[in-house]
Amino acid sequence: MNIEISAIGAIIGLIIAIILILRQVPPVYSLMLGALLGGLIGGLGVSETVEQMIGGAADIMPSVLRVLGAGVLAGILIESGAAAKLASSIVELFGEKRALLALTIATMILTAVGVFVDVAVITVSPIALLIASKTKISRLSILLAMVGGGKSGNVISPNPNTIVLSDAFRSSLIDIMLAGVIPGIIGMFATYFVAKRLVNKGSKIQNEELDDNNNKRLPSLVNSLIGPLVAIILLTLRPLFGVDIDPIIALPLGGLIGVIFMGKVRYTVSYLKIGLDKMAPVAILLIGTGTIAGIIQNSSIDKLLIHSLESIGLPSLALAPFSGILMSAATASTTAGATVASNVFAPTLLQTNVSAIGSAAMINSGSTVLDHMPHGSFFHATAGSVNMNAKERMKLIPYESLVGLIIVIISTIIYGIIPLFLQ
């Protein structure tokens, strides 16, 4: 039975969810209630609305399982000290004269190998604070370097975003990761040049803010790299040799091999618990986004957006980056934004001349533009990492939005206008 919910109902449901998130209601409940009200306002009965919500959540379950699998690699990288070793090695390589570039690259690489972007910023922040104290670089500048680096790495990473997109567009995870490389690298350099403009703007780091607890024994650089390298090699077997190893196997296996090389097998269980703790909120959030995606997907909102874009002279392919931007702004989350946008608009985008990988890449890039809004956890976690108050953190929003916008423009040019990855 074909069910179509009115666009106005779906939009009102989404607005209700946004308002609830702004009111500090847990996002998963906000999204579920928004989905319920959206279905009812859109013309469905209670049972039909619940059916669509459950269907949307069911569609997202493969992504939830893969995200939980990714928690093995993430937990091991973070808790073993491998992530901190990678960050400190990069900063040492570049030195204080190229401190901002070093911080940008360090956060980008940590995010690209599977560390959550907010966790990557928190991991690098002690090094950033120390460098900023010595070189008198402003708090705004170092935070932009880390946030922009994280955004750049986020479009390359085997993280929940790319996992969800690979499922929605029935594409290889490694292909979507590779599609983010060029936009990510350009975003990294853009971050560096923008951050340089801010070195003397805003507050400075005081000596008493520095963390003296830097005595944790870290693994070697080579051993720190083993886990993510194994995971990436396993994922590349499909495009290279036609051997399909699912991320639900590749990511945990990479992490477990890494922990063996680091000689920390006895800590494996505690690392797994930490990884699960990191991924569980994301998995729960994905279920909530699935419920509202089920409502929006069965509405006429896709037709409304396409007509709106065409009325201002934009082609239908603009739906990909625009939906990523819109949904990430609504949820203040790259993961939630990419999830809703991909699950709702993938069927429509697959009917255009843009490839599945290109559409996924543009949504992925779009979801980095406004994911840092104040009603999300990323805004507050990154502010806390450098002891920044909310008022000063707000001043960074235009600059980090600019970095995200550059990433999505490059992605749209490459995969929408040129385009590469025609299939």
Side-chain angles (χ1 to χ4, degrees):
M1 179 175 65
N2 292 326
I3 294 176
E4 183 165 303
I5 301 162
S6 71
I8 190 67
I11 292 170
I12 290 174
L14 185 59
I15 291 172
I16 290 170
I18 294 169
I19 292 172
L20 292 172
I21 292 171
L22 287 170
R23 301 288 295 179
Q24 305 302 309
V25 176
V28 63
Y29 291 134
S30 301
L31 293 165
M32 289 173 66
L33 184 56
L36 177 62
L37 296 177
L40 295 175
I41 296 169
L44 299 185
V46 175
S47 60
E48 292 174 321
T49 300
V50 171
E51 184 180 340
Q52 296 306 312
M53 291 171 63
I54 292 173
D59 290 341
I60 209 69
M61 287 311 296
S63 300
V64 171
L65 293 175
R66 292 183 176 99
V67 166
L68 292 175
V72 176
L73 177 61
I76 288 171
L77 286 174
I78 296 163
E79 291 302 306
S80 66
K85 181 62 179 180
L86 290 172
S88 61
S89 298
I90 293 166
V91 173
E92 288 172 9
L93 176 65
F94 283 85
E96 290 183 3
K97 290 185 177 180
R98 292 286 183 268
L100 287 175
L101 183 60
L103 294 175
T104 305
I105 293 175
T107 318
M108 177 183 177
I109 290 178
L110 285 188
T111 311
V113 299
V115 178
F116 269 18
V117 62
D118 53 348
V119 176
V121 172
I122 292 168
T123 301
V124 177
S125 61
I127 305 170
L129 290 170
L130 181 62
I131 291 173
S133 175
K134 289 181 179 179
T135 58
K136 306 302 178 186
I137 296 173
S138 74
R139 206 181 306 266
L140 281 172
S141 185
I142 60 169
L143 185 54
L144 179 64
M146 293 187 290
V147 168
K151 287 178 180 287
S152 301
N154 213 26
V155 296
I156 306 170
S157 174
N159 60 16
N161 299 22
T162 48
I163 290 171
V164 166
L165 288 161
S166 69
D167 288 339
F169 284 95
R170 304 290 188 269
S171 298
S172 165
L173 175 60
I174 192 66
D175 285 340
I176 295 174
M177 290 165 60
L178 291 173
V181 170
I182 295 175
I185 290 174
I186 293 176
M188 178 196 73
F189 283 112
T191 297
Y192 171 59
F193 288 116
V194 176
K196 283 182 68 177
R197 301 276 184 178
L198 300 178
V199 291
N200 295 314
K201 293 185 178 180
S203 61
K204 304 287 185 179
I205 306 300
Q206 305 302 314
N207 289 334
E208 56 267 25
E209 299 179 56
L210 303 180
D211 184 6
D212 294 327
N213 186 22
N214 293 318
N215 298 318
K216 183 178 179 181
R217 187 174 179 182
L218 301 178
S220 70
L221 178 60
V222 172
N223 288 339
S224 297
L225 285 167
I226 293 294
L229 283 177
V230 168
I232 291 171
I233 289 170
L234 291 174
L235 291 172
T236 57
L237 291 179
R238 176 178 174 177
L240 292 178
F241 304 107
V243 179
D244 189 4
I245 298 182
D246 196 276
I248 203 172
I249 297 172
L251 299 178
L253 187 57
L256 293 173
I257 291 174
V259 85
I260 292 171
F261 274 86
M262 288 184 285
K264 298 192 176 187
V265 175
R266 63 187 180 278
Y267 302 116
T268 302
V269 174
S270 64
Y271 294 165
L272 295 181
K273 290 179 180 178
I274 296 295
L276 181 60
D277 288 343
K278 297 290 184 185
M279 291 298 182
V282 180
I284 294 170
L285 175 65
L286 287 176
I287 295 171
T289 58
T291 62
I292 200 163
I295 297 299
I296 298 174
Q297 188 174 13
N298 289 285
S299 74
S300 55
I301 196 171
D302 56 339
K303 300 182 183 69
L304 177 64
L305 282 176
I306 289 174
H307 289 321
S308 299
L309 292 171
E310 290 177 345
S311 68
I312 58 175
L314 294 176
S316 57
L317 67 85
L319 180 63
F322 183 76
S323 63
I325 294 170
L326 180 65
M327 296 304 168
S328 67
T331 58
S333 165
T334 52
T335 301
T339 301
V340 176
S342 60
N343 279 274
V344 171
F345 300 111
T348 302
L349 288 166
L350 289 172
Q351 296 175 14
T352 67
N353 292 326
V354 183
S355 70
I357 296 171
S359 296
M362 287 187 282
I363 289 176
N364 200 18
S365 298
S367 68
T368 68
V369 177
L370 294 172
D371 61 318
H372 46 263
M373 300 305 287
H375 56 286
S377 61
F378 181 73
F379 176 93
H380 303 283
T382 52
S385 71
V386 293
N387 306 316
M388 182 182 286
N389 61 45
K391 183 178 179 180
E392 188 171 17
R393 180 66 180 83
M394 290 288 290
K395 295 178 181 178
L396 197 67
I397 289 178
Y399 301 103
E400 53 193 329
S401 300
L402 175 61
V403 171
L405 194 60
I406 290 171
I407 293 172
V408 77
I409 288 172
I410 297 301
S411 184
T412 303
I413 291 172
I414 294 174
Y415 304 116
I417 297 176
I418 295 181
L420 298 180
F421 283 113
L422 277 174
Q423 292 180 343

